[in-house]
Structures are given as structure tokens and as C-alpha cells.
Amino acid sequence: MEIKKEYKTFLGIYRKPILEAFFLKAILFGVSAVFFLGNNINIMCVILAITVFCNLLFLGRNSFKIAKFLLLSSAVLIVVWGVFVGQLWTQTNIKEALLRVYTSHDFKIAILRLYGFFTGGQLFLGLTSQHELLTDLKKVDLPAIVVITIVLIFNSIAYFISFYSDIKRSYEMRCIKSNVFKKMYYVFSSLTFEALSMIVNCRKILFIDDNRIKNIVNKPVPDSPNNTVISELNVNLKDISYYDCKDPVIRDLETFFPLGTLNIVWGENGIGKSTLFDAITGVIPNIIKAEGSILLNLDETDKNITGYVPQGVERSLLFDTPESMLKDVPISKREIWLKKFMLSHIDMETRNMNELSSGERKKFELISELLYDNHKIVLLDEPTAFLDDSSKDALFELLTSVKNNKIIVIITHDTYFKDKEATWHHMIDSGIVKESFCIPQKDDETIDSNLDLLDGCKTEKKVFKKRVKLRNDFISDFNVPVESIEIENGKNIAILGKNGCGKTTLDKNIFECLRKSKARIRCLMMLQEVNKQFFTSSVEDEIFLCCRVNNEFKQFVYLLLEYVGLLKYKDFPPYFLSGGQKRILLLLCFIAQRPDVIILDEPFEFIDEKNRKKLIDLLVEYQKRSGICYVLSDQTLDCFQSHINEKIVF
């Protein structure tokens, strides 16, 4: 089935189908069809009743068109059945013959099958577009939480169908050696971990933004702006610890965030920055259980003045289209920023959120939150992640335009903000220190780059060269500036360009070509969404995956984990780690397998300056010893600039 095709039935012309939703409804239709192919009249009547109800619910007035066709079809069936099954030309008593034919068990089953397949088929075709289904749902007078739940279920199913297909491929990108049984086991393990993580994240969003989301799906009259006035947000946290941790994540933190300024919180990965946001929003202890003292200058009546945009894009699962996410933002305000964020080309009413890239979804979330007048406190966790430079400029312009009326707190490792006017909050183990972002390192804080630990890797330099020829259709569709790419040992290739230009697609093309190469070049690839490449229940097991483990190798792995500060988390599940720590862990998993080529998609997102420096030193030293080739795609690669041999700029 072509995803670009439009389907036409007698009910009208429908928008482009969502492929995942199409197959989901095909499965549901197939399940109901099995019952109609059986001989149990009672079950068939129940399934038919459900199908007719769904037709009336989702197709509305168009269901009367179905009734007309059913009447015509029934008349045709009666005639055909009577003539060919009853064989009226052979009967002497026509009346008795007709009565016997039309009261038979077979005729009842035939008529039920006709109605079942007809109504089910039209419902299936008529609702091929997931957006049509979710839009019609909102027309029904149902409680808001019911609509939210159904939207979340459908979007989650579509997400997991996509996730499942991606994760099967990402396992091959993650592991050099695998077999089909291990692959299926780890794929389903990863799906389970992702489901658990997504449930927690969606519960967080619903808890924080409950009233607003309910208002959006119920199409309310636009609210008058919230007149709550708060000049600063005071935060006092002591001994915040999760139940599965021995030591507190935050020991003693006391700070305030004033109105009218951009407040930027920065610090090393895993220091507790996201925990700070969870404490401010009330996620701790209401959704995530933790111990400790949390004091804020907010009470229960102020709960609805806080907005939140998380690191990931799980917030978009609660909305079917960009229009539904932006419904309570006046059109006159949003149009300006949609243009500046380069989103004007997207059909707001018919494009499904699951079809958008991570960067596009992030932009819609930021516009929705920052332009919503009722949120006086806005918390943004890594808002520039996956954004190109022009989109970052648009974001800073938007932040500047709304900051006078809001308390804005940003968690970031992005050096984009270092020259911007902002109040900096340096988060350390003992609390928060207010200081500039680019402080000089003290002598005792010099980063240890002693990489003798790589002696335990037992690498051998491999000499290889492979010219990857790109497909002509791919070159024309994405305006790729080159026709082929030469991959060879010791080389670093940078692929640069804006959101949506085709960098990730090019990465996957290179990976496919190398995997199929007769030269037997061992290649691994890091995806943007690193969650799709974790398959076990502990950090230690992740590095051991697809490796031959002995005492010497274990020692090498522990030294690697200690070097990047992850040794204390070796028994924790990967989803427990911060976004930056997950990326660091995945790179260690790659190095442990000793590949020839590593393709890295947005490798340095969410990683703090100190760990980024250590990671680059590790990558460079490993390259000197092994001759590995790195292919890196990003918006910019300033931190790796001096090591780049070739650039491909879209």
C-alpha cells in the first residue's frame, strides 16, 4: 500500500492514510471478518451491532448512505439467493419454497456476512486516516479524559508500531553479531522498557498540564488570561532521593528564579537538573516517589500556572495534530512564529504528530507553551535539542518576547546560550551557584584525559577503503551535494544541515551500503533516539551485549565506565540515566565491540562540556589505536571541528 495514495469510497475522498493506523484497522477488520466467516449467529450479531454503532459514531450522516446501499444489496441478495439457492424454477409450490429458503440458517448467515463485511469495510476505508477518526471522536459529547485516553491509545499504538519496526533495525545498527532468537528477545525487552518509560513521562505531562489539555479537547471558549502575579520562584530542596538510590540526588539546594529574565540551569550530567524540575512541578512525589524536603512559594491554587516542555517529545502523544496542540493559542500570535520556525508548510489540521520529525515536534511544543498566556512559570528541559541554528535563533527571539511576563527556567548544555543575556545557575553536588557559563577551570578541576585504559581493548589497526555510491532518487529527493562518499580508516566525515534536510536518511544509506559490502566493513550506527538502542535491564549488561565477556574484558569495561562517571550506575537500568548519560553509554557500547566504522547521529546532544571533552578525547585516542572511521551528522560540530577531514553540507 502506498502511503501517499488517497482513498475514495462512496462516502467521499479521504486524506492520506497513516500507514500504522491503516494496518491497525486492517488487523481489527480482519479479526471481525474471522467471526463473520464462522457460523455462530449470536457472535455475528454482536460484531455487526458494534460495527453499525461505530459507523453511526464515526461516519455520522454518511452512515445513511451506507443504509441505502445495504437495502439495495439486500434486495440483490434476496433475488440471487432465491433464484440460485432456492432453484425456484424446479419448485411446484413457490411460496413454501421461498419461506423455506429465507428462514434457513444459511440465508441468515449470508445476510449477516453481507451487512458485516459491507459496514466493516466502509468503516475501515472511511477511517483510513487516523486524523479522521480522532477528529470525529471530538465531535462526540464524551468526557475530556475519555477523548484524551483514546487519542493517547491510538497515538501510542502508532508510535509503538513505528518503534517496533525501528528497533528491529536499530538492533542491527547496535550489534555487529546477532542471531534471530536473541534479536527478538531483546526487541521485546526494549519495547517493554520504552513502554514503562513512556507511561511515566505521559503521566508527568498529564499531571502538570491536566486542565489545559482537557480544555483543548473540549473546545472551550478561550480563557481570559490568568491574572496571578508572581515576582519570583523560590525553591528549597533537601536530601531528595529516589527509593532505589543509596545517596541523595539533590542534597541541599536553595535558589530563586526572578521574573523577566532567562534563568539557565547548567551542570554535569546526572547532577539532578531534571529532578529539580520534577520537584517544582509536583511530579515528585505525586507521580515519581521520592523522599526529602520540597519547599516552594507556590500553593495548590498556583498549580495551573506552570508549563513544562520535557527533553523528549512524548508530550505530542497527547495530541493528534499540530492544530490540536495549538488550539488555545490565538492564530494571529502563532502564525508569526510558525513562519520563523519554518513550520508554515505543515498542514496543521491533517498532519499527524507521529509523522513529524523530533525537531518539528519540539518546535510545536515550544510555541504552544511559550505563547500560552495562563502559564506564568515555564520550565524547558533541553529546548534546543534537535534544532538547527536558525530555529535556535527563532527560539531565543520568542523567549525574549515573552520573558517579561513569565518566569522562564531552562536546563541546557548547549553553548548557544553562552553569549546571551541570562541569569546563570551552576548546579553542583552541594546545590546551586550563580555564576557565568564559561567559568575558567581551576587547576584541581582539570579533566583527566589519561586514556591508557584503552590498552585493555586489544585493538588492531585495520586498513580499508570503500566508496559508497548513493542512489539517484535519493540524491534528487534530498538535494544531496555529493554522488558518492569515500569511507576509509582514520577518516572523520561530518554531515551538516538544517532540520529535515536528509542527514539521518543519508546516515542510514551509508550504513546499509557498508553492511552489504563484500569488503566486510563492520559498521555500527547511533540513532537520534538512543532509547531505541537499549535492550537490557542494566548499564553493565548493555556494554556486555554482543561481546565475549571474560575477566580482562570486564576490567576494561569498568575502567571505561569509571572514566565517564557511570560506574556507580552499572546495576541500574539504562532508562534511569539522563539524556546525556544515555548517549555516553551507547558510545561505550560501540567501542567495546571494536567496529571499523561508527555513524553518529546528533552524538553530543544533552552532554555537558566536561563529559563532552572526555568523550571526544576517548573517540580521538581510540581512532589513533584502531584506525576507526567516524561519520558524524549534526546541525554544527564545533566541538569536533579540528578532527574533521571531510564535510558534506546540505
Side-chain angles (χ1 to χ4, degrees), residues 159 163 166-167 169-170 173-174 194 311-314 355-363 382 384-388 478 495-508 524-534 578-584 586-587 590 598-607 631-637 650:
Y159 172 80
F163 190 92
D166 285 348
I167 205 168
R169 196 75 190 101
S170 68
M173 295 175 174
R174 160 79 165 76
E194 179 65 11
Q311 274 187 22
V313 289
E314 57 272 1
E355 295 178 295
L356 303 177
S357 69
S358 299
E360 288 170 330
R361 280 185 279 181
K362 177 73 78 174
K363 293 175 192 178
E382 299 286 1
T384 58
F386 311 121
L387 301 188
D388 53 48
F478 289 93
I495 302 173
L496 308 173
K498 296 182 178 180
N499 294 128
C501 68
K503 299 188 299 298
T504 300
T505 309
L506 177 56
D507 287 341
K508 291 179 179 178
L524 297 174
M525 177 175 169
M526 173 195 277
L527 298 172
Q528 278 186 24
E529 298 170 311
V530 292
N531 284 350
K532 293 180 179 178
Q533 294 186 281
F534 291 126
S578 69
Q581 288 173 323
K582 288 177 183 176
R583 275 175 154 67
I584 294 169
L586 192 54
L587 275 167
F590 287 169
I598 299 181
I599 301 172
L600 303 169
D601 195 355
E602 308 273 3
F604 302 117
E605 289 287 356
F606 308 136
I607 301 177
V631 180
L632 308 96
S633 63
D634 210 326
Q635 318 301 333
T636 59
L637 282 168
F650 279 78

Side-chain angles (χ1 to χ4, degrees), residues 97-322:
L98 287 175
L99 184 63
R100 186 170 59 252
V101 168
Y102 295 132
T103 56
S104 69
H105 184 269
D106 289 340
F107 178 74
K108 292 175 183 176
I109 287 179
I111 201 80
L112 283 172
R113 284 175 179 167
L114 170 69
Y115 289 177
F117 284 121
F118 199 88
T119 55
Q122 289 308 318
L123 182 68
F124 170 61
L125 289 173
L127 297 177
T128 297
S129 169
Q130 184 179 345
H131 169 69
E132 291 284 349
L133 172 63
L134 298 177
T135 300
D136 288 334
L137 263 177
K138 294 177 184 177
K139 297 176 183 176
V140 184
D141 189 17
L142 294 172
I145 192 62
V146 174
V147 178
I148 292 170
T149 302
I150 294 174
V151 169
L152 184 57
I153 288 172
F154 268 87
N155 280 353
S156 298
I157 289 171
Y159 172 80
F160 274 108
I161 290 173
S162 171
F163 190 92
Y164 175 69
S165 60
D166 285 348
I167 205 168
K168 283 200 302 182
R169 196 75 190 101
S170 68
Y171 182 81
E172 297 172 8
M173 295 175 174
R174 160 79 165 76
C175 298
I176 292 174
K177 296 179 181 179
S178 65
N179 62 56
V180 66
F181 298 107
K182 281 188 176 181
K183 178 179 177 180
M184 294 310 298
Y185 169 77
Y186 286 123
V187 164
F188 283 105
S189 296
S190 183
L191 280 170
T192 303
F193 296 139
E194 179 65 11
L196 293 172
S197 177
M198 194 184 76
I199 289 168
V200 172
N201 289 332
C202 286
R203 285 182 66 202
K204 286 168 62 173
I205 302 298
L206 277 170
F207 173 78
I208 297 167
D209 228 358
D210 180 50
N211 285 349
R212 184 186 178 201
I213 293 172
K214 286 181 179 178
N215 285 341
I216 289 173
V217 298
N218 269 359
K219 295 186 187 177
V221 176
D223 293 335
S224 57
N226 192 314
N227 294 320
T228 302
V229 177
I230 179 169
S231 60
E232 65 181 27
L233 173 63
N234 296 313
V235 183
N236 191 324
L237 308 178
K238 287 188 178 179
D239 296 327
I240 305 297
S241 61
Y242 299 111
Y243 290 129
D244 47 4
C245 290
K246 296 179 182 178
D247 301 320
V249 179
I250 297 177
R251 297 182 185 278
D252 188 1
L253 183 152
E254 186 173 0
T255 190
F256 68 93
F257 304 109
L259 178 73
T261 61
L262 298 182
N263 299 277
I264 297 183
V265 178
W266 69 285
E268 291 183 19
N269 294 119
I271 203 69
K273 300 183 295 299
S274 295
T275 301
L276 169 65
F277 275 11
D278 287 340
I280 293 173
T281 57
V283 166
I284 294 176
N286 293 289
I287 302 298
I288 300 174
K289 300 303 178 185
E291 296 178 332
S293 170
I294 301 174
L295 296 177
L296 308 169
N297 63 326
L298 301 173
D299 54 35
E300 280 298 316
T301 59
D302 295 326
K303 177 181 179 293
N304 295 324
I305 68 171
T306 302
Y308 170 62
V309 177
Q311 274 187 22
V313 289
E314 57 272 1
R315 194 172 188 273
S316 60
L317 291 172
L318 300 169
F319 303 94
D320 52 333
T321 63

Side-chain angles (χ1 to χ4, degrees), residues 376-618:
K376 305 301 182 184
I377 300 171
V378 181
L379 309 176
L380 308 177
D381 197 346
E382 299 286 1
T384 58
F386 311 121
L387 301 188
D388 53 48
D389 285 345
S390 57
S391 296
K392 290 179 183 179
D393 290 339
L395 172 60
F396 184 74
E397 188 179 349
L398 177 56
L399 288 167
T400 304
S401 70
V402 301
K403 71 176 184 180
N404 290 335
N405 300 315
K406 297 179 185 289
I407 296 172
I408 299 175
V409 186
I410 300 170
I411 290 175
T412 188
H413 296 114
D414 196 338
T415 55
Y416 172 83
F417 290 101
K418 68 181 180 181
D419 298 323
K420 308 298 182 186
E421 184 180 348
T423 301
W424 293 89
H425 306 260
H426 181 195
M427 194 164 177
I428 55 178
D429 186 50
S430 58
I432 277 185
V433 179
K434 291 191 177 180
E435 55 191 10
S436 65
F437 183 69
C438 295
I439 56 170
Q441 286 186 347
K442 298 175 184 177
D443 293 338
D444 59 348
E445 293 178 339
T446 302
I447 296 172
D448 179 16
S449 294
N450 181 10
L451 291 167
D452 290 339
L453 61 94
L454 287 174
D455 293 340
C457 196
K458 292 186 177 179
T459 55
E460 293 181 6
K461 273 198 175 184
K462 184 176 178 181
V463 179
F464 58 88
K465 184 180 287 189
K466 170 70 177 177
R467 182 164 289 279
V468 175
K469 186 170 175 56
L470 305 177
R471 300 194 318 268
N472 291 331
D473 58 337
F474 173 66
I475 293 172
S476 58
D477 289 346
F478 289 93
N479 295 318
V480 183
V482 294
E483 294 182 357
S484 62
I485 301 170
E486 192 170 80
I487 306 292
E488 62 179 310
N489 55 290
K491 188 176 183 180
N492 295 320
I493 302 170
I495 302 173
L496 308 173
K498 296 182 178 180
N499 294 128
C501 68
K503 299 188 299 298
T504 300
T505 309
L506 177 56
D507 287 341
K508 291 179 179 178
N509 268 262
I510 296 171
F511 176 81
E512 290 292 338
C513 290
L514 292 178
R515 271 296 174 97
K516 294 176 182 177
S517 170
K518 293 181 180 179
R520 294 184 181 179
I521 297 174
R522 299 180 304 169
C523 180
L524 297 174
M525 177 175 169
M526 173 195 277
L527 298 172
Q528 278 186 24
E529 298 170 311
V530 292
N531 284 350
K532 293 180 179 178
Q533 294 186 281
F534 291 126
F535 302 94
T536 70
S537 58
S538 75
V539 167
E540 181 182 58
D541 289 342
E542 280 297 333
I543 301 188
F544 292 159
L545 184 64
C546 301
C547 296
R548 290 183 178 179
V549 181
N550 53 39
N551 290 334
E552 190 177 3
F553 182 74
K554 277 188 177 182
Q555 187 64 29
F556 166 65
V557 166
Y558 292 156
L559 287 172
L560 272 180
L561 290 172
E562 186 175 23
Y563 176 73
V564 296
L566 292 180
L567 185 59
K568 61 182 177 182
Y569 301 114
K570 70 181 180 69
D571 297 321
F572 286 81
Y575 61 80
F576 177 86
L577 304 177
S578 69
Q581 288 173 323
K582 288 177 183 176
R583 275 175 154 67
I584 294 169
L585 172 61
L586 192 54
L587 275 167
L588 298 189
C589 293
F590 287 169
I591 288 174
Q593 294 182 70
R594 301 187 286 276
D596 302 316
V597 180
I598 299 181
I599 301 172
L600 303 169
D601 195 355
E602 308 273 3
F604 302 117
E605 289 287 356
F606 308 136
I607 301 177
D608 63 72
E609 285 292 301
K610 180 179 178 180
N611 279 307
R612 189 177 296 181
K613 172 70 167 59
K614 294 176 78 171
L615 198 60
I616 290 172
D617 288 347
L618 180 65

